[in-house]
Every structure is written in structure tokens, then in C-alpha cells.
PDB file of all heavy atoms in Angstrom:
ATOM      1  N   PHE S   1     119.316-169.529  57.824  1.00 36.00           N
ATOM      2  CA  PHE S   1     120.202-169.230  56.712  1.00 36.00           C
ATOM      3  C   PHE S   1     119.603-169.680  55.390  1.00 36.00           C
ATOM      4  O   PHE S   1     119.786-169.037  54.371  1.00 36.00           O
ATOM      5  CB  PHE S   1     121.561-169.896  56.942  1.00 36.00           C
ATOM      6  CG  PHE S   1     122.298-169.315  58.119  1.00 36.00           C
ATOM      7  CD1 PHE S   1     122.458-170.048  59.274  1.00 36.00           C
ATOM      8  CD2 PHE S   1     122.797-168.031  58.074  1.00 36.00           C
ATOM      9  CE1 PHE S   1     123.123-169.499  60.353  1.00 36.00           C
ATOM     10  CE2 PHE S   1     123.462-167.480  59.151  1.00 36.00           C
ATOM     11  CZ  PHE S   1     123.613-168.229  60.297  1.00 36.00           C
ATOM     12  N   LEU S   2     118.879-170.808  55.407  1.00 38.00           N
ATOM     13  CA  LEU S   2     118.230-171.276  54.194  1.00 38.00           C
ATOM     14  C   LEU S   2     117.213-170.252  53.729  1.00 38.00           C
ATOM     15  O   LEU S   2     117.133-169.907  52.560  1.00 38.00           O
ATOM     16  CB  LEU S   2     117.560-172.627  54.454  1.00 38.00           C
ATOM     17  CG  LEU S   2     116.906-173.314  53.259  1.00 38.00           C
ATOM     18  CD1 LEU S   2     117.957-173.614  52.199  1.00 38.00           C
ATOM     19  CD2 LEU S   2     116.234-174.603  53.697  1.00 38.00           C
ATOM     20  N   PHE S   3     116.427-169.762  54.664  1.00 39.00           N
ATOM     21  CA  PHE S   3     115.413-168.760  54.339  1.00 39.00           C
ATOM     22  C   PHE S   3     116.071-167.497  53.812  1.00 39.00           C
ATOM     23  O   PHE S   3     115.661-166.942  52.803  1.00 39.00           O
ATOM     24  CB  PHE S   3     114.608-168.445  55.596  1.00 39.00           C
ATOM     25  CG  PHE S   3     113.570-167.367  55.400  1.00 39.00           C
ATOM     26  CD1 PHE S   3     112.354-167.680  54.828  1.00 39.00           C
ATOM     27  CD2 PHE S   3     113.813-166.058  55.778  1.00 39.00           C
ATOM     28  CE1 PHE S   3     111.398-166.700  54.645  1.00 39.00           C
ATOM     29  CE2 PHE S   3     112.860-165.081  55.595  1.00 39.00           C
ATOM     30  CZ  PHE S   3     111.656-165.406  55.029  1.00 39.00           C
ATOM     31  N   HIS S   4     117.135-167.086  54.484  1.00 42.00           N
ATOM     32  CA  HIS S   4     117.803-165.843  54.089  1.00 42.00           C
ATOM     33  C   HIS S   4     118.414-165.954  52.706  1.00 42.00           C
ATOM     34  O   HIS S   4     118.253-165.081  51.864  1.00 42.00           O
ATOM     35  CB  HIS S   4     118.890-165.514  55.116  1.00 42.00           C
ATOM     36  CG  HIS S   4     119.726-164.336  54.740  1.00 42.00           C
ATOM     37  ND1 HIS S   4     120.961-164.475  54.173  1.00 42.00           N
ATOM     38  CD2 HIS S   4     119.494-163.003  54.827  1.00 42.00           C
ATOM     39  CE1 HIS S   4     121.485-163.279  53.941  1.00 42.00           C
ATOM     40  NE2 HIS S   4     120.616-162.381  54.330  1.00 42.00           N
ATOM     41  N   ASN S   5     119.133-167.050  52.445  1.00 40.00           N
ATOM     42  CA  ASN S   5     119.844-167.170  51.179  1.00 40.00           C
ATOM     43  C   ASN S   5     118.920-167.289  49.984  1.00 40.00           C
ATOM     44  O   ASN S   5     119.293-166.957  48.870  1.00 40.00           O
ATOM     45  CB  ASN S   5     120.775-168.387  51.222  1.00 40.00           C
ATOM     46  CG  ASN S   5     121.935-168.170  52.165  1.00 40.00           C
ATOM     47  OD1 ASN S   5     122.302-167.037  52.422  1.00 40.00           O
ATOM     48  ND2 ASN S   5     122.488-169.231  52.708  1.00 40.00           N
ATOM     49  N   GLN S   6     117.711-167.743  50.202  1.00 39.00           N
ATOM     50  CA  GLN S   6     116.772-167.852  49.100  1.00 39.00           C
ATOM     51  C   GLN S   6     116.245-166.492  48.674  1.00 39.00           C
ATOM     52  O   GLN S   6     115.620-166.378  47.627  1.00 39.00           O
ATOM     53  CB  GLN S   6     115.597-168.757  49.494  1.00 39.00           C
ATOM     54  CG  GLN S   6     115.971-170.225  49.596  1.00 39.00           C
ATOM     55  CD  GLN S   6     116.405-170.808  48.272  1.00 39.00           C
ATOM     56  OE1 GLN S   6     115.804-170.523  47.255  1.00 39.00           O
ATOM     57  NE2 GLN S   6     117.452-171.597  48.261  1.00 39.00           N
ATOM     58  N   PHE S   7     116.481-165.481  49.469  1.00 37.00           N
ATOM     59  CA  PHE S   7     115.965-164.156  49.141  1.00 37.00           C
ATOM     60  C   PHE S   7     117.016-163.246  48.531  1.00 37.00           C
ATOM     61  O   PHE S   7     116.793-162.057  48.397  1.00 37.00           O
ATOM     62  CB  PHE S   7     115.377-163.491  50.398  1.00 37.00           C
ATOM     63  CG  PHE S   7     113.965-163.887  50.657  1.00 37.00           C
ATOM     64  CD1 PHE S   7     113.687-165.028  51.376  1.00 37.00           C
ATOM     65  CD2 PHE S   7     112.914-163.145  50.153  1.00 37.00           C
ATOM     66  CE1 PHE S   7     112.391-165.400  51.616  1.00 37.00           C
ATOM     67  CE2 PHE S   7     111.616-163.517  50.390  1.00 37.00           C
ATOM     68  CZ  PHE S   7     111.343-164.656  51.129  1.00 37.00           C
ATOM     69  N   ILE S   8     118.157-163.802  48.124  1.00 34.00           N
ATOM     70  CA  ILE S   8     119.188-162.926  47.572  1.00 34.00           C
ATOM     71  C   ILE S   8     119.085-162.818  46.061  1.00 34.00           C
ATOM     72  O   ILE S   8     119.908-162.186  45.429  1.00 34.00           O
ATOM     73  CB  ILE S   8     120.609-163.386  47.964  1.00 34.00           C
ATOM     74  CG1 ILE S   8     120.937-164.764  47.349  1.00 34.00           C
ATOM     75  CG2 ILE S   8     120.764-163.425  49.454  1.00 34.00           C
ATOM     76  CD1 ILE S   8     122.382-165.178  47.565  1.00 34.00           C
ATOM     77  N   LYS S   9     118.057-163.434  45.460  1.00 34.00           N
ATOM     78  CA  LYS S   9     117.871-163.299  44.029  1.00 34.00           C
ATOM     79  C   LYS S   9     117.056-162.042  43.739  1.00 34.00           C
ATOM     80  O   LYS S   9     115.966-161.883  44.260  1.00 34.00           O
ATOM     81  CB  LYS S   9     117.149-164.523  43.472  1.00 34.00           C
ATOM     82  CG  LYS S   9     117.939-165.817  43.671  1.00 34.00           C
ATOM     83  CD  LYS S   9     117.163-167.013  43.173  1.00 34.00           C
ATOM     84  CE  LYS S   9     117.946-168.295  43.411  1.00 34.00           C
ATOM     85  NZ  LYS S   9     117.192-169.489  42.961  1.00 34.00           N
ATOM     86  N   PRO S  10     117.565-161.149  42.922  1.00 34.00           N
ATOM     87  CA  PRO S  10     116.832-159.910  42.660  1.00 34.00           C
ATOM     88  C   PRO S  10     115.616-160.158  41.795  1.00 34.00           C
ATOM     89  O   PRO S  10     115.607-161.044  40.953  1.00 34.00           O
ATOM     90  CB  PRO S  10     117.861-159.044  41.925  1.00 34.00           C
ATOM     91  CG  PRO S  10     118.751-160.046  41.263  1.00 34.00           C
ATOM     92  CD  PRO S  10     118.825-161.224  42.184  1.00 34.00           C
ATOM     93  N   GLY S  11     114.582-159.382  42.017  1.00 36.00           N
ATOM     94  CA  GLY S  11     113.397-159.463  41.183  1.00 36.00           C
ATOM     95  C   GLY S  11     113.113-158.104  40.587  1.00 36.00           C
ATOM     96  O   GLY S  11     113.748-157.118  40.945  1.00 36.00           O
ATOM     97  N   PRO S  12     112.169-158.018  39.682  1.00 35.00           N
ATOM     98  CA  PRO S  12     111.868-156.729  39.070  1.00 35.00           C
ATOM     99  C   PRO S  12     111.299-155.767  40.091  1.00 35.00           C
ATOM    100  O   PRO S  12     110.379-156.106  40.817  1.00 35.00           O
ATOM    101  CB  PRO S  12     110.812-157.091  38.007  1.00 35.00           C
ATOM    102  CG  PRO S  12     110.208-158.356  38.512  1.00 35.00           C
ATOM    103  CD  PRO S  12     111.294-159.086  39.223  1.00 35.00           C
ATOM    104  N   PRO S  13     111.877-154.586  40.240  1.00 34.00           N
ATOM    105  CA  PRO S  13     111.376-153.649  41.242  1.00 34.00           C
ATOM    106  C   PRO S  13     109.970-153.191  40.918  1.00 34.00           C
ATOM    107  O   PRO S  13     109.655-152.866  39.785  1.00 34.00           O
ATOM    108  CB  PRO S  13     112.376-152.477  41.173  1.00 34.00           C
ATOM    109  CG  PRO S  13     112.973-152.575  39.819  1.00 34.00           C
ATOM    110  CD  PRO S  13     112.981-154.025  39.456  1.00 34.00           C
ATOM    111  N   LYS S  14     109.124-153.195  41.944  1.00 37.00           N
ATOM    112  CA  LYS S  14     107.768-152.693  41.770  1.00 37.00           C
ATOM    113  C   LYS S  14     107.746-151.201  42.011  1.00 37.00           C
ATOM    114  O   LYS S  14     108.533-150.673  42.805  1.00 37.00           O
ATOM    115  CB  LYS S  14     106.825-153.396  42.758  1.00 37.00           C
ATOM    116  CG  LYS S  14     106.716-154.886  42.497  1.00 37.00           C
ATOM    117  CD  LYS S  14     105.680-155.497  43.408  1.00 37.00           C
ATOM    118  CE  LYS S  14     105.512-156.983  43.132  1.00 37.00           C
ATOM    119  NZ  LYS S  14     104.493-157.586  43.994  1.00 37.00           N
ATOM    120  N   PRO S  15     106.869-150.479  41.359  1.00 34.00           N
ATOM    121  CA  PRO S  15     106.822-149.029  41.565  1.00 34.00           C
ATOM    122  C   PRO S  15     106.416-148.694  42.985  1.00 34.00           C
ATOM    123  O   PRO S  15     105.387-149.148  43.462  1.00 34.00           O
ATOM    124  CB  PRO S  15     105.757-148.566  40.559  1.00 34.00           C
ATOM    125  CG  PRO S  15     104.991-149.770  40.180  1.00 34.00           C
ATOM    126  CD  PRO S  15     105.889-150.941  40.382  1.00 34.00           C
ATOM    127  N   THR S  16     107.254-147.965  43.677  1.00 36.00           N
ATOM    128  CA  THR S  16     106.966-147.542  45.036  1.00 36.00           C
ATOM    129  C   THR S  16     107.249-146.063  45.167  1.00 36.00           C
ATOM    130  O   THR S  16     107.934-145.464  44.338  1.00 36.00           O
ATOM    131  CB  THR S  16     107.835-148.298  46.059  1.00 36.00           C
ATOM    132  OG1 THR S  16     109.206-148.047  45.756  1.00 36.00           O
ATOM    133  CG2 THR S  16     107.582-149.802  46.001  1.00 36.00           C
ATOM    134  N   LYS S  17     106.791-145.505  46.229  1.00 37.00           N
ATOM    135  CA  LYS S  17     107.006-144.087  46.482  1.00 37.00           C
ATOM    136  C   LYS S  17     108.059-143.937  47.552  1.00 37.00           C
ATOM    137  O   LYS S  17     107.883-144.360  48.677  1.00 37.00           O
ATOM    138  CB  LYS S  17     105.699-143.435  46.922  1.00 37.00           C
ATOM    139  CG  LYS S  17     105.795-141.916  47.014  1.00 37.00           C
ATOM    140  CD  LYS S  17     104.435-141.327  47.316  1.00 37.00           C
ATOM    141  CE  LYS S  17     104.492-139.799  47.370  1.00 37.00           C
ATOM    142  NZ  LYS S  17     103.182-139.218  47.658  1.00 37.00           N
ATOM    143  N   SER S  18     109.188-143.372  47.192  1.00 36.00           N
ATOM    144  CA  SER S  18     110.283-143.239  48.141  1.00 36.00           C
ATOM    145  C   SER S  18     109.882-142.345  49.299  1.00 36.00           C
ATOM    146  O   SER S  18     109.203-141.348  49.133  1.00 36.00           O
ATOM    147  CB  SER S  18     111.509-142.656  47.435  1.00 36.00           C
ATOM    148  OG  SER S  18     112.530-142.426  48.361  1.00 36.00           O
ATOM    149  N   THR S  19     110.340-142.752  50.491  1.00 38.00           N
ATOM    150  CA  THR S  19     110.034-141.959  51.676  1.00 38.00           C
ATOM    151  C   THR S  19     111.239-141.170  52.159  1.00 38.00           C
ATOM    152  O   THR S  19     111.166-140.490  53.162  1.00 38.00           O
ATOM    153  CB  THR S  19     109.534-142.868  52.801  1.00 38.00           C
ATOM    154  OG1 THR S  19     110.449-143.949  52.944  1.00 38.00           O
ATOM    155  CG2 THR S  19     108.160-143.409  52.480  1.00 38.00           C
ATOM    156  N   GLY S  20     112.379-141.340  51.485  1.00 37.00           N
ATOM    157  CA  GLY S  20     113.528-140.500  51.798  1.00 37.00           C
ATOM    158  C   GLY S  20     114.390-141.033  52.916  1.00 37.00           C
ATOM    159  O   GLY S  20     114.008-141.925  53.657  1.00 37.00           O
ATOM    160  N   PRO S  21     115.580-140.503  53.055  1.00 34.00           N
ATOM    161  CA  PRO S  21     116.514-140.944  54.087  1.00 34.00           C
ATOM    162  C   PRO S  21     115.951-140.741  55.478  1.00 34.00           C
ATOM    163  O   PRO S  21     115.264-139.767  55.761  1.00 34.00           O
ATOM    164  CB  PRO S  21     117.748-140.054  53.851  1.00 34.00           C
ATOM    165  CG  PRO S  21     117.619-139.569  52.438  1.00 34.00           C
ATOM    166  CD  PRO S  21     116.139-139.457  52.194  1.00 34.00           C
ATOM    167  N   GLY S  22     116.249-141.718  56.358  1.00 35.00           N
ATOM    168  CA  GLY S  22     115.815-141.610  57.740  1.00 35.00           C
ATOM    169  C   GLY S  22     114.318-141.680  57.898  1.00 35.00           C
ATOM    170  O   GLY S  22     113.762-141.159  58.860  1.00 35.00           O
ATOM    171  N   CYS S  23     113.632-142.319  56.940  1.00 38.00           N
ATOM    172  CA  CYS S  23     112.172-142.307  56.963  1.00 38.00           C
ATOM    173  C   CYS S  23     111.634-143.160  58.087  1.00 38.00           C
ATOM    174  O   CYS S  23     112.243-144.114  58.528  1.00 38.00           O
ATOM    175  CB  CYS S  23     111.620-142.817  55.630  1.00 38.00           C
ATOM    176  SG  CYS S  23     112.002-144.546  55.319  1.00 38.00           S
ATOM    177  N   HIS S  24     110.454-142.821  58.542  1.00 34.00           N
ATOM    178  CA  HIS S  24     109.693-143.644  59.457  1.00 34.00           C
ATOM    179  C   HIS S  24     108.260-143.673  58.956  1.00 34.00           C
ATOM    180  O   HIS S  24     107.308-143.555  59.704  1.00 34.00           O
ATOM    181  CB  HIS S  24     109.755-143.086  60.879  1.00 34.00           C
ATOM    182  CG  HIS S  24     111.093-143.300  61.514  1.00 34.00           C
ATOM    183  ND1 HIS S  24     111.431-144.449  62.198  1.00 34.00           N
ATOM    184  CD2 HIS S  24     112.210-142.529  61.516  1.00 34.00           C
ATOM    185  CE1 HIS S  24     112.679-144.367  62.627  1.00 34.00           C
ATOM    186  NE2 HIS S  24     113.165-143.209  62.233  1.00 34.00           N
ATOM    187  N   GLN S  25     108.128-143.795  57.637  1.00 36.00           N
ATOM    188  CA  GLN S  25     106.839-143.780  56.976  1.00 36.00           C
ATOM    189  C   GLN S  25     106.556-145.153  56.375  1.00 36.00           C
ATOM    190  O   GLN S  25     107.459-145.946  56.160  1.00 36.00           O
ATOM    191  CB  GLN S  25     106.830-142.717  55.863  1.00 36.00           C
ATOM    192  CG  GLN S  25     107.131-141.319  56.361  1.00 36.00           C
ATOM    193  CD  GLN S  25     106.098-140.822  57.341  1.00 36.00           C
ATOM    194  OE1 GLN S  25     104.922-141.093  57.168  1.00 36.00           O
ATOM    195  NE2 GLN S  25     106.534-140.112  58.357  1.00 36.00           N
ATOM    196  N   PRO S  26     105.280-145.459  56.070  1.00 34.00           N
ATOM    197  CA  PRO S  26     104.948-146.745  55.474  1.00 34.00           C
ATOM    198  C   PRO S  26     105.662-146.949  54.142  1.00 34.00           C
ATOM    199  O   PRO S  26     105.827-146.029  53.364  1.00 34.00           O
ATOM    200  CB  PRO S  26     103.430-146.656  55.272  1.00 34.00           C
ATOM    201  CG  PRO S  26     102.977-145.604  56.217  1.00 34.00           C
ATOM    202  CD  PRO S  26     104.109-144.627  56.309  1.00 34.00           C
ATOM    203  N   CYS S  27     106.099-148.177  53.879  1.00 34.00           N
ATOM    204  CA  CYS S  27     106.724-148.539  52.616  1.00 34.00           C
ATOM    205  C   CYS S  27     105.776-149.492  51.891  1.00 34.00           C
ATOM    206  O   CYS S  27     105.462-150.539  52.432  1.00 34.00           O
ATOM    207  CB  CYS S  27     108.073-149.216  52.854  1.00 34.00           C
ATOM    208  SG  CYS S  27     109.223-148.164  53.759  1.00 34.00           S
ATOM    209  N   PRO S  28     105.288-149.156  50.708  1.00 32.00           N
ATOM    210  CA  PRO S  28     104.260-149.930  50.031  1.00 32.00           C
ATOM    211  C   PRO S  28     104.602-151.395  49.842  1.00 32.00           C
ATOM    212  O   PRO S  28     103.770-152.250  50.009  1.00 32.00           O
ATOM    213  CB  PRO S  28     104.135-149.225  48.671  1.00 32.00           C
ATOM    214  CG  PRO S  28     104.638-147.847  48.914  1.00 32.00           C
ATOM    215  CD  PRO S  28     105.710-147.990  49.948  1.00 32.00           C
ATOM    216  N   ASP S  29     105.827-151.744  49.477  1.00 32.00           N
ATOM    217  CA  ASP S  29     106.168-153.134  49.256  1.00 32.00           C
ATOM    218  C   ASP S  29     107.636-153.366  49.548  1.00 32.00           C
ATOM    219  O   ASP S  29     108.489-153.237  48.696  1.00 32.00           O
ATOM    220  CB  ASP S  29     105.846-153.543  47.809  1.00 32.00           C
ATOM    221  CG  ASP S  29     105.816-155.061  47.666  1.00 32.00           C
ATOM    222  OD1 ASP S  29     106.358-155.757  48.536  1.00 32.00           O
ATOM    223  OD2 ASP S  29     105.245-155.521  46.689  1.00 32.00           O
ATOM    224  N   VAL S  30     107.939-153.741  50.783  1.00 34.00           N
ATOM    225  CA  VAL S  30     109.326-153.868  51.194  1.00 34.00           C
ATOM    226  C   VAL S  30     109.942-155.171  50.718  1.00 34.00           C
ATOM    227  O   VAL S  30     111.144-155.353  50.813  1.00 34.00           O
ATOM    228  CB  VAL S  30     109.454-153.783  52.736  1.00 34.00           C
ATOM    229  CG1 VAL S  30     108.960-152.453  53.216  1.00 34.00           C
ATOM    230  CG2 VAL S  30     108.710-154.925  53.409  1.00 34.00           C
TER     231      VAL S  30
END
């Protein structure tokens, strides 16, 4: 829970290429 709660702070989104709904493709930076 400690690990999880530390990740709820939003950061600036990095430019990524959307793979669309239901994707099973690589995501550049999840």
C-alpha cells in the first residue's frame, strides 16, 4: 500500500503514441 499510494501523484504526461481501445501493442512509457 505504501508503494501504491506514492504513485497517485500525477506527473506531466510524456508524448506517447496511443494504441487504441483493447490494444495489445507496446506502450512506450506506461
Side-chain angles (χ1 to χ4, degrees):
F1 294 110
L2 184 62
F3 177 81
H4 174 260
N5 290 335
Q6 289 296 318
F7 275 86
I8 65 173
K9 298 177 181 179
K14 296 185 178 181
T16 59
K17 188 174 182 180
S18 175
T19 50
C23 65
H24 287 273
Q25 302 297 322
C27 301
D29 196 342
V30 299

